[in-house]
Amino acid sequence: MKVLETLSALAGKYFAVWVILISVIAFMFPEPFLGLGGYITILLGVVMFGMGLTLKAVDFKIIITKPLPVIIGVCAQFIIMPLVAFFIAKIMNLPAELAAGLVLLGCVPGGTASNVMVYLAKGNVPLSIAMTSVSTLLAPIMTPLLLLLLAGQWMPVNFSSMFMSIVQVIILPIVLGLIIKKFFPVIVEKSLTVLPLISVVAIITIVSAVVSGNASSIATSGFFIFTAVMLHNGFGLLLGYFAAKMSGLDEVNRRAISIEVGMQNSGLGVALATAHFGPLAALPSVLAAAWHNISGPILATYWSKKSAGNKGIEEIPVQPVETKA
């Protein structure tokens, strides 16, 4: 068990390194990974099941006690990121499948790795966790609705089909995780330290499947779409911060909302793109899985050296499963 805990800690700490490494290997030697594409949905379900195991009632306390920052943050999440993706796709004149994939990346909820980044950045961790949870629960409605409005010009969007996909891939595993935790709390508590390893293995397997299936497309347009992903993430972080500032929120809340808005659930983006648009549309989310885990730590490190005046902010330990973008 100690060995697994050590491996789990290393997996979570160097998540971005593993994503980049497996991406390079799958790109150079795609054949061994081509058969993994059929397991993407199952693997993402495993990750979200882990999220369900770590959720606590206290994570939702801030929604009742201080709802305004949560409302502002979630609204910013579902307004800024989809619109920024839409305009980047338009300005860069991306091919239809890539454009739809970038908008899809903008329409998915926040990723749980953002909770770790907010903690390191001395931001409001309870707000970050609440935003991740609320945006994830709203995803079955908001993600297909926003896609229908913004991406329909590039690719056909089936609202009901995507709604069911998100419920099956996100909501049901989370609910199952909550149920298991309710009835087997001791077993779950003992297994929490191993969850990062499971999450990282699942995510890098998803990444390897998509990269190997799109090796030729990456060779021709990888840098182009990577630039779009970097711009999307950068504008999300910047505009998320200023949205919180314009709303009169203090520095700890600004940092939380900035990171939460800028970092997306790229695993969900990969699964939905592969299932509903095609493998090429998953490319923006694959690249985001790597880039968000590079830009996030850079920003968190910068903020960690600057006082946020966060006295009185309740510190909630970040659960070890939160290693996913």
Side-chain angles (χ1 to χ4, degrees):
M1 192 65 179
K2 288 291 184 182
V3 175
L4 287 176
E5 289 179 5
T6 302
L7 289 174
S8 190
L10 289 173
K13 185 176 181 180
Y14 298 105
F15 175 67
V17 175
W18 307 134
V19 170
I20 294 170
L21 184 62
I22 197 66
S23 297
V24 172
I25 294 173
F27 174 73
M28 296 180 66
F29 308 100
E31 289 81 8
F33 304 97
L34 292 175
L36 298 175
Y39 299 98
I40 290 176
T41 300
I42 296 173
L43 290 168
L44 182 60
V46 169
V47 175
M48 301 316 297
F49 173 74
M51 178 181 176
L53 291 177
T54 64
L55 286 177
K56 300 177 181 178
V58 71
D59 296 339
F60 299 92
K61 177 183 176 183
I62 192 174
I63 301 174
I64 299 172
T65 58
K66 297 180 180 179
L68 185 59
V70 180
I71 294 171
I72 292 171
V74 173
C75 287
Q77 171 83 49
F78 284 121
I79 293 174
I80 291 172
M81 296 308 277
L83 289 178
V84 168
F86 175 81
F87 286 117
I88 289 175
K90 279 285 191 181
I91 293 169
M92 295 184 69
N93 196 28
L94 295 178
E97 204 167 336
L98 288 175
L102 184 65
V103 173
L104 172 57
L105 174 64
C107 294
V108 295
T112 54
S114 58
N115 306 151
V116 179
M117 297 305 109
V118 170
Y119 176 77
L120 296 175
K122 299 179 180 178
N124 189 339
V125 178
L127 172 58
S128 176
I129 294 173
M131 281 184 60
T132 299
S133 302
V134 172
S135 65
T136 299
L137 294 175
L138 290 175
I141 297 293
M142 296 304 299
T143 297
L145 177 61
L146 290 167
L147 276 171
L148 191 62
L149 294 173
L150 298 175
Q153 61 182 290
W154 289 298
M155 300 285 288
V157 178
N158 188 320
F159 180 95
S160 59
S161 177
M162 190 165 290
F163 171 86
M164 289 306 301
S165 291
I166 298 174
V167 169
Q168 292 168 1
V169 160
I170 298 291
I171 305 302
L172 291 182
I174 289 176
V175 171
L176 181 60
L178 290 170
I179 293 172
I180 296 296
K181 183 178 180 179
K182 173 72 174 177
F183 289 101
F184 305 99
V186 176
I187 296 175
V188 169
E189 192 65 32
K190 290 181 179 179
S191 67
L192 288 180
T193 53
V194 184
L195 285 176
L197 179 61
I198 298 172
S199 295
V200 169
V201 170
I203 292 296
I204 64 174
T205 303
I206 291 172
V207 169
S208 67
V210 177
V211 170
S212 63
N214 291 281
S216 59
S217 299
I218 294 172
T220 56
S221 59
F223 179 78
F224 190 57
I225 191 59
F226 189 63
T227 301
V229 168
M230 289 177 63
L231 288 172
H232 183 241
N233 174 238
F235 277 116
L237 294 169
L238 182 65
L239 295 178
Y241 183 89
F242 281 106
K245 184 176 182 179
M246 294 292 289
S247 301
L249 300 181
D250 60 16
E251 181 65 17
V252 288
N253 288 319
R254 294 174 196 171
R255 293 182 184 185
I257 290 176
S258 170
I259 294 173
E260 193 66 35
V261 169
M263 297 183 69
Q264 305 295 95
N265 188 332
S266 51
L268 177 59
V270 170
L272 293 178
T274 303
H276 297 277
F277 290 153
L280 186 59
L283 189 54
S285 292
V286 169
L287 296 176
W291 176 247
H292 289 184
N293 285 279
I294 296 173
S295 65
I298 290 173
L299 181 59
T301 300
Y302 170 76
W303 269 334
S304 70
K305 298 176 182 178
K306 292 182 173 290
S307 174
N310 57 346
K311 291 182 179 180
I313 293 296
E314 181 184 2
E315 294 265 350
I316 293 182
V318 180
Q319 295 297 334
V321 72
E322 290 164 345
T323 56
K324 176 179 65 63

